[in-house]
Amino acid sequence: MDLNPPQGENYANPRICFFHVLFKAGALAFYILSALFFDSFVIIFVVTVLLAALDFWVVKNVSGRILVGLRWWNEIDDNGESVWKFECLDQESLARMNKKDSWLFWWTLYLTAVVWIFFAIFSLIRFQADYLLVVGVCLTLSIANIVGFTKCRKDAKKQIQQFASQTIATRFQSTIQSAFSVV
């Protein structure tokens, strides 16, 4: 993954990018600044987790679909087994996705989890089990999106490879057939 954002192009979906970052920053900022303004752990817990849940929902259902063309969900089948479901745009549409939007999506997705891990370590060092609970919930939501979108991206790549190999095989077969039909 490239550290620097792609140059020479603007964000194709600036509003979606804004909200993609807003809820992540909101949850993190509230968690950091809340101790200055609130004495109640319950308020800190509820608001921080609510903001993290809003972030989870926006990423999973809106920004992931629009910024990178991916969507995932998990279902329980008739046997009680957990089944991951993935949606992705077709190869042509994925190739047209804005690189800057994609860069922002993936970097903020991973960076947010790293920050929550940092807060978890900090809570452990300070023996703050209550704050570790808040961080644990937020980290779990963040990691769930990372796992879901990473699996979805791998599934999309596999579908693209299958499509490409099928297309090549079909072209090769039609070329062979046309070559022998001339003879």
Side-chain angles (χ1 to χ4, degrees), residues 4-168:
N4 299 317
Q7 300 298 316
E9 64 180 318
N10 291 324
Y11 293 102
N13 302 288
R15 285 190 187 107
I16 303 298
C17 291
F18 173 76
F19 284 105
H20 178 74
V21 173
L22 177 70
F23 289 114
K24 290 176 185 333
L28 290 167
F30 187 84
Y31 177 76
I32 293 167
L33 300 174
S34 61
L36 299 174
F37 302 106
F38 300 104
D39 290 334
S40 172
F41 172 75
V42 173
I43 291 174
I44 295 169
F45 179 87
V46 169
V47 174
T48 303
V49 170
L50 182 63
L51 288 169
L54 286 170
D55 171 54
F56 175 82
W57 186 87
V58 166
V59 171
K60 185 177 167 302
N61 295 305
V62 180
S63 62
R65 188 172 48 83
I66 294 172
L67 299 180
V68 292
L70 302 172
R71 189 165 167 246
W72 66 271
W73 65 97
N74 192 291
E75 293 178 350
I76 305 299
D77 66 9
D78 295 335
N79 299 328
E81 298 291 321
S82 179
V83 179
W84 288 82
K85 302 284 186 169
F86 305 111
E87 278 183 8
C88 66
L89 295 176
D90 58 69
Q91 181 183 4
E92 203 173 290
S93 298
L94 282 173
R96 287 193 312 250
M97 296 302 293
N98 183 286
K99 292 187 182 356
K100 210 168 199 176
D101 287 356
S102 179
W103 180 88
L104 177 82
F105 177 86
W106 291 109
W107 271 101
T108 56
L109 195 67
Y110 289 112
L111 189 60
T112 303
V114 168
V115 173
W116 285 120
I117 289 169
F118 170 76
F119 288 142
I121 293 168
F122 190 70
S123 294
L124 279 171
I125 291 171
R126 297 190 66 197
F127 299 111
Q128 294 178 319
D130 48 356
Y131 285 93
L132 186 60
L133 179 64
V134 176
V135 172
V137 171
C138 296
L139 182 59
T140 300
L141 292 170
S142 188
I143 288 174
N145 263 334
I146 289 172
V147 170
F149 280 106
T150 301
K151 285 185 172 191
C152 193
R153 182 171 56 177
K154 287 179 182 175
D155 188 62
K157 286 180 180 178
K158 187 169 44 172
Q159 287 178 5
I160 289 169
Q161 288 172 343
Q162 287 174 347
F163 174 77
S165 62
Q166 287 174 348
T167 303
I168 290 169

